[in-house]
Amino acid sequence: MRQGFSFSHFGMFVHDISALESFYTGLLDFTVTDRGQLPGPQGPRDLVFLSRNPDEHHQLVLISGRPKELEFNPINQISLKADSLETLCLMYRTLKSKGLQNVSPITHGNAVSIYVPDPEGNRLELYFDLPWYVSQPMAVPVDLEDGATLMKRLEEHARELPGFRPRSQWREEMAKKMGVDSVKSSL
């Protein structure tokens, strides 16, 4: 890792803080670590702090005050990394069983993702990195129903794409480009 900074958390304005709190705690197992109010130029703002990691006070902060009518949502995606492909496939089945709309499983060649909007239309990416790299951007729909053949299908597809190589090789290239130690940090 580069010295100095690492990504820690994300905060977003919301208009229905209760609905978003329920979504992130219920579906994605975040825990409320704190809540309160802060004064602001347009009046007090409610804040809810959420985390999935006891070492991080918050990974997501929900803040009241988002206008109900926005021409454009500036949040492209909020990404959460799965610990396994099985976890990702289980979440896909969970999302489908809850009847959530616009659930889109995609392969990027180097990762497999599920895109789903939260209750306010912020796009979530739930993903798992694959053990190889392909040139980006790349996105095509993928069938997550047949878990027995999924990894084989993902690799066969990726091998046909530009830039295919082991993720470890790509990582070494990026470490050199970034001027950092090529040994993977445990941090």
Side-chain angles (χ1 to χ4, degrees):
M1 288 178 34
R2 285 184 169 161
Q3 294 291 316
F5 296 95
S6 64
F7 185 78
S8 171
H9 59 273
F10 180 80
M12 66 180 167
F13 287 105
V14 302
H15 51 82
D16 188 341
I17 204 163
S18 295
L20 273 283
E21 178 183 333
S22 294
F23 178 84
Y24 286 98
T25 58
L27 183 65
L28 296 170
D29 206 25
F30 277 87
T31 297
V32 175
T33 60
D34 261 321
R35 69 174 70 244
Q37 263 191 357
L38 280 178
Q42 284 81 34
R45 301 277 190 200
D46 294 316
L47 286 85
V48 175
F49 299 87
L50 303 164
S51 186
R52 291 180 40 91
N53 181 343
D55 292 327
E56 295 289 337
H57 173 266
H58 58 279
Q59 295 172 304
L60 179 61
V61 184
L62 307 175
I63 309 156
S64 65
R66 178 179 176 169
K68 288 188 187 254
E69 301 299 323
L70 290 175
E71 285 186 34
F72 178 80
N73 185 345
I75 297 173
N76 176 47
Q77 67 192 43
I78 303 166
S79 301
L80 295 136
K81 187 175 186 177
D83 59 7
S84 69
L85 189 55
E86 293 77 22
T87 296
L88 189 70
C89 290
L90 177 60
M91 178 54 75
Y92 177 71
R93 291 189 297 274
T94 299
L95 294 168
K96 296 303 279 182
S97 73
K98 291 186 178 292
L100 292 173
Q101 301 298 307
N102 301 316
V103 177
S104 302
I106 300 289
T107 180
H108 295 291
N110 62 351
V112 61
S113 303
I114 302 166
Y115 290 93
V116 61
D118 75 11
E120 293 192 2
N122 301 302
R123 186 170 71 155
L124 298 181
E125 177 195 27
L126 310 171
Y127 76 99
F128 178 72
D129 279 332
L130 297 169
W132 49 81
Y133 168 82
V134 301
S135 299
Q136 297 296 309
M138 199 294 293
V140 297
V142 65
D143 176 10
L144 297 182
E145 295 294 340
D146 182 5
T149 65
L150 180 57
M151 187 61 93
K152 181 179 184 234
R153 288 182 287 125
L154 290 167
E155 184 173 359
E156 286 172 354
H157 175 257
R159 284 186 177 278
E160 298 174 1
L161 299 171
F164 178 87
R165 58 191 175 276
R167 183 175 288 274
S168 59
Q169 180 182 341
W170 175 83
R171 189 194 181 287
E172 289 290 328
E173 294 165 7
M174 289 303 106
K176 184 176 179 181
K177 186 175 186 177
M178 293 177 190
V180 298
D181 188 1
S182 64
V183 176
K184 188 171 183 177
S185 170
S186 63
L187 297 177

